[in-house]
Amino acid sequence: MKLFGTNGVRGIINKELTVDLALKLSRATGTLLGPGKIAIARDSRMGGEMFTHALISGLTSTGCSVVDLGPVPTPTLQYMIPRLDCVAGVMVTASHNPPHFNGIKVIGSNGIEASRETEDQIEKIYHSNQFKSAEWDKIGEFTRYDSAIDVYLAGIKSLIDIDKIKEKKLKVIVDGANSVGSVVTPRLLREIGCSVVSLNSQLDGTFPGRNPEPIPENLKDLSAAVTAMGADLGIAHDGDADRATFVDETGRVLWGDQSFALIASRVLAKKRGSTLVTPVSSGRLIEDVARNAGAKIDWTEVGSVVVSHRIEEINAELGGEENGGVFYPDHQPVRDGAMTASQVVEIMALENKTLSQLVSELPIYYNTKVKVPVPPEKKEPLLEALLNLSKNMNRITIDGVKVIHDEGWFLIRPSGTEPLYRCFAEGKTQETADRLSEEGVELIEQAKKLV
Ligand code: MG
């Protein structure tokens, strides 16, 4: 059985993700990444404390000492790992998954999620039961650390123009999804001079306020609150606050690539010849922004972990994803919701513009997303067939097949978790996007006949 998915181990609490699994996983992690100190943290999900206790037992049994940061965002834990001289970190979170899920994510000594290779090694130890057991007098120590949020927020504040933001006296509504975004972002924004109203700010693993995925259908209350209270913007986090989604002053929810583009155009323009790392699923908006800033794009496979590792490897100036994940390595090379929030607020203050004005300056592209059912055993041969069929097309094959035309592009790739292929198309008009999407689906259908 494969434990790790695209972003750690995730499963339904007490069904797929059990205390036994958490205990064994932490014993395997301590065996591989110890000896040394390991930092742990959790979001507000149900089972967070239960799994934390399993992790403490498992990790200390291998001789690792454990420092618990408590309920804080994933990026707060990531920020603290190198600063507390830890050899690794473990986060209990299922990010934006539905409420009945939880998960466990292993993070390396540099604060970046463990690579696929490290995960494979942990899995190997997990399945072989070859755990290290410390001698009776070498069992690891357990301590708590209560200042993670102070240190983390001081780090963010050191990178932004607080005086300018204070002058603007922005009114911001923060929707923390009843999770750990609520313990950092409202405080951060208040400390940099914004007036803040919090929504869904009590930590509650049943997620009574909304589903933790920050997409428009889950943000209706936030949109309504922004317009009703005449706020300048709204900010919504996902369950572990590594992402931020924005609502402009008219109540409109921005697409992830729009906020990413606002930040990218400013960060990349600071230095000629900067590099932006982004997955092949990113579109023309990001290409336009990078080109205008004189930056080059380094394309990767889809997945935030790949982006982080690539940023570190080539020393890139910025990373980002079309879902709104922004990686700002001057702060840290991982997605960070509170950092992203303060960057957008800073842009509004420095340029003295409303969020809707800033967005209206960006080019507009339209997209179409379609799913095509493909039985699991056909997923791999189908990709081979697609690579063959598209041989003479203008394409990128880093992850699936991205076919590029003058008027737009489409990307077809197998879903990591479901028996289907996704076709994502983008064009200057909705008609173009729809047509390119049909072209992509047609290519999948052709390939299906060959496997
Ligand atoms: Mg997340």
Side-chain angles (χ1 to χ4, degrees):
M1 187 195 74
K2 198 100 188 81
L3 284 178
F4 289 95
T6 40
N7 217 319
V9 181
R10 285 193 197 165
I12 296 169
I13 299 162
N14 267 357
K15 292 270 189 309
E16 296 150 3
L17 188 72
T18 61
V19 171
D20 291 355
L21 187 153
L23 181 67
K24 272 184 75 174
L25 187 69
S26 57
R27 293 179 72 190
T29 302
T31 301
L32 182 74
L33 301 177
K37 182 161 60 172
I38 295 187
I40 61 171
R42 62 179 189 275
D43 64 14
S44 73
R45 280 178 186 274
M46 295 302 285
E49 277 199 33
M50 174 176 83
F51 293 123
T52 294
H53 288 292
L55 295 181
I56 296 166
S57 298
L59 292 169
T60 51
S61 77
T62 65
C64 288
S65 60
V66 173
V67 52
D68 182 10
L69 310 190
V72 299
T74 301
T76 307
L77 170 65
Q78 292 177 297
Y79 190 77
M80 292 312 300
I81 290 169
R83 286 164 179 84
L84 291 171
D85 293 322
C86 293
V87 293
V90 183
M91 181 75 194
V92 181
T93 178
S95 187
H96 59 271
N97 278 34
H100 54 299
F101 279 78
N102 210 330
I104 295 170
K105 173 143 100 169
V106 178
I107 300 162
S109 59
N110 56 0
I112 299 178
E113 288 92 339
S115 64
R116 177 62 63 196
E117 293 74 45
T118 305
E119 288 179 344
D120 286 345
Q121 284 173 289
I122 293 172
E123 273 199 54
K124 219 168 139 194
I125 300 169
Y126 178 101
H127 290 299
S128 69
N129 287 308
Q130 303 281 312
F131 305 119
K132 189 172 153 191
S133 270
E135 293 295 325
W136 68 274
D137 57 348
K138 299 281 189 305
I139 287 167
E141 273 182 10
F142 171 69
T143 49
R144 291 179 210 277
Y145 181 79
D146 294 327
S147 309
I149 292 171
D150 301 338
V151 177
Y152 168 72
L153 293 185
I156 294 178
K157 287 194 282 183
S158 72
L159 294 168
I160 50 171
D161 191 336
I162 299 175
D163 292 339
K164 273 276 179 250
I165 297 171
K166 278 191 172 152
E167 280 172 26
K168 277 291 284 180
K169 299 190 170 48
L170 293 168
K171 182 167 183 180
V172 192
I173 312 215
V174 179
D175 179 345
N178 296 107
S179 194
V180 287
S182 301
V183 301
V184 293
T185 303
R187 176 178 152 191
L188 169 69
L189 295 174
R190 252 176 226 124
E191 289 177 2
I192 60 177
C194 299
S195 139
V196 181
V197 175
S198 298
L199 274 190
N200 303 321
S201 59
Q202 78 281 21
L203 302 196
D204 186 334
T206 64
F207 295 100
R210 65 163 167 94
N211 182 290
E213 184 160 22
I215 49 176
E217 53 262 47
N218 295 330
L219 302 180
K220 296 202 171 91
D221 290 349
L222 177 61
S223 292
V226 167
T227 47
M229 291 189 230
D232 295 292
L233 77 158
I235 298 169
H237 290 301
D238 66 328
D240 64 333
D242 57 356
R243 282 198 283 143
T245 297
F246 297 86
V247 175
D248 73 14
E249 77 284 0
T250 71
R252 191 172 49 126
V253 181
L254 267 53
W255 294 113
D257 62 349
Q258 290 177 318
S259 45
F260 166 28
L262 290 179
I263 295 171
S265 56
R266 276 73 178 176
V267 170
L268 297 172
K270 279 186 201 158
K271 198 173 106 192
R272 205 72 199 159
S274 295
T275 303
L276 171 69
V277 177
T278 196
V280 287
S281 50
S282 287
R284 289 271 159 97
L285 172 56
I286 298 308
E287 289 188 61
D288 290 351
V289 157
R291 190 182 324 109
N292 291 340
K296 35 182 192 302
I297 293 187
D298 190 87
W299 298 106
T300 68
E301 284 168 50
V302 177
S304 65
V305 183
V306 191
V307 175
S308 286
H309 283 276
R310 186 67 182 156
I311 288 172
E312 188 81 340
E313 196 183 320
I314 64 169
N315 246 321
E317 277 71 16
L318 192 73
E321 300 171 305
E322 40 80 35
N323 65 11
V326 178
F327 311 62
Y328 183 50
D330 280 1
H331 171 55
Q332 57 176 344
V334 297
R335 296 191 294 200
D336 191 316
M339 184 73 235
T340 305
S342 56
Q343 284 175 298
V344 168
V345 166
E346 185 190 42
I347 292 169
M348 292 173 68
L350 289 175
E351 299 178 24
N352 201 19
K353 286 176 183 160
T354 65
L355 195 46
S356 68
Q357 278 171 336
L358 287 165
V359 170
S360 69
E361 294 167 2
L362 297 170
I364 299 173
Y365 293 97
Y366 296 84
N367 60 57
T368 308
K369 289 178 185 181
V370 189
K371 295 174 185 173
V372 182
V374 174
E377 71 279 6
K378 292 269 172 75
K379 272 160 74 172
E380 263 198 50
L382 193 78
L383 186 58
E384 284 304 313
L386 284 168
L387 286 168
N388 250 321
L389 284 171
S390 63
K391 236 180 359 225
N392 298 319
M393 301 174 182
N394 181 17
R395 62 176 195 173
I396 300 179
T397 58
I398 292 168
D399 189 353
V401 180
K402 183 175 185 177
V403 175
I404 301 156
H405 296 309
D406 289 341
E407 71 275 20
W409 55 271
F410 63 85
L411 169 69
I412 39 191
R413 51 188 293 272
S415 157
T417 47
E418 295 169 80
L420 52 89
Y421 262 65
R422 292 177 202 282
C423 176
F424 185 77
E426 186 190 70
K428 259 283 182 198
T429 63
Q430 190 60 56
E431 294 73 52
T432 313
D434 292 346
R435 186 169 48 74
L436 288 168
S437 157
E438 280 163 28
E439 201 182 305
V441 172
E442 175 57 30
L443 200 62
I444 299 175
E445 295 301 342
Q446 271 185 45
K448 263 178 149 178
K449 290 185 193 132
L450 301 173
V451 298

